[in-house]
Amino acid sequence: MSIDVEAYYRRYGPQVLRRCRFLLRDEEKAVDAMHDVFVQLLRYQGALKDSAPSSLLHRIATTVCLNKLRGAKRRPEDREDELVLQIASAEDNESRAAARGVLDRLFGRVPASSRDIAVLHLVDGMTLEETAREVGLSVSGVRKRLRALNAVLQELELEAA
C-alpha cells in the first residue's frame, strides 16, 4: 500500500517544519527544507511503508537539514549554529560510534516509541499535550515514558562511573 503524501503533509507538516526550524534557525530555509522532505517522500513513496510515519519524517527532515548545513559551508551566525555545523560535519568516527552506543543502550531498554516521545518533547520542544496527541498516548502515558527514559539514563550513568 502506497503512502498518502498529501495526508502526511497535512498531519505531519507542522512537526517537520519545527524540526527544520530547530536545525536551520532560519524561517525561509526551514520552509524550503520542509518542502524538500515531502519531495523526497513523493520520490520514494512506492518503496516506503505506512508504518511509523513520524519517525520516518523526522529522520528525513534531519538528513535534509544537515545536508543543507553541510552544503552551505557558511560561517556560523551564532554559537548554536556553530554547534549544529560541528555535529553535521563530524568526521570523528570514534565519537560518533560512542554516542551511537550510548543511545542504542538507552533506547534498547525502553519501548521503541519512547525515542519518538523523547525527540518530540525534548528536542523539538513540543508540549506534553502535543506529544501525547502525536504519538496517541495520554499525557500521563508520555510522562511515564519520559520518567522511564530518565531512570534508564541514570542507570547508564551509574554503570559508566
Side-chain angles (χ1 to χ4, degrees):
M1 179 176 141
S2 182
I3 61 173
D4 183 352
V5 177
E6 186 177 339
Y8 276 22
Y9 184 83
R10 282 192 308 272
R11 179 166 183 201
Y12 298 104
Q15 172 190 335
V16 170
L17 182 57
R18 271 193 304 275
R19 180 66 176 157
C20 294
R21 282 179 182 143
F22 177 79
L23 291 170
L24 298 174
R25 303 198 187 288
D26 179 283
E27 184 67 20
E28 188 175 316
K29 290 177 185 175
V31 170
D32 286 345
M34 178 193 67
H35 290 140
D36 289 347
V37 168
F38 287 96
V39 167
Q40 291 287 338
L41 206 58
L42 277 169
R43 184 175 294 142
Y44 298 105
Q45 79 183 86
L48 299 173
K49 294 182 180 158
D50 191 19
S51 64
S54 179
S55 296
L56 172 67
L57 289 167
H58 186 272
R59 191 168 48 249
I60 294 171
T62 300
T63 302
V64 165
C65 291
L66 293 179
N67 285 341
K68 286 186 176 293
L69 288 170
R70 286 183 195 115
K73 301 244 188 244
R74 64 177 173 75
R75 189 85 184 121
E77 295 170 14
D78 62 31
R79 283 191 42 74
E80 289 182 0
D81 282 352
E82 187 174 348
L83 178 60
V84 170
L85 281 172
Q86 286 174 354
I87 292 168
S89 59
E91 295 179 13
D92 180 1
N93 289 335
E94 189 174 314
S95 295
R96 277 183 168 179
R100 194 174 300 118
V102 170
L103 290 174
D104 286 345
R105 287 193 306 277
L106 172 63
F107 291 120
R109 297 181 185 187
V110 294
S113 60
S114 293
R115 181 191 69 182
D116 295 336
I117 291 169
V119 169
L120 291 171
H121 183 65
L122 301 172
V123 176
D124 291 344
M126 291 177 103
T127 65
L128 290 171
E129 292 80 12
E130 291 170 327
T131 302
R133 192 171 40 253
E134 188 64 37
V135 298
L137 291 174
S138 65
V139 172
S140 63
V142 168
R143 278 193 189 107
K144 182 178 176 184
R145 295 281 183 92
L146 291 170
R147 278 194 304 269
L149 274 172
N150 192 27
V152 171
L153 187 57
Q154 288 177 359
E155 285 176 28
L156 290 173
E157 287 175 345
L158 289 174
E159 289 173 11

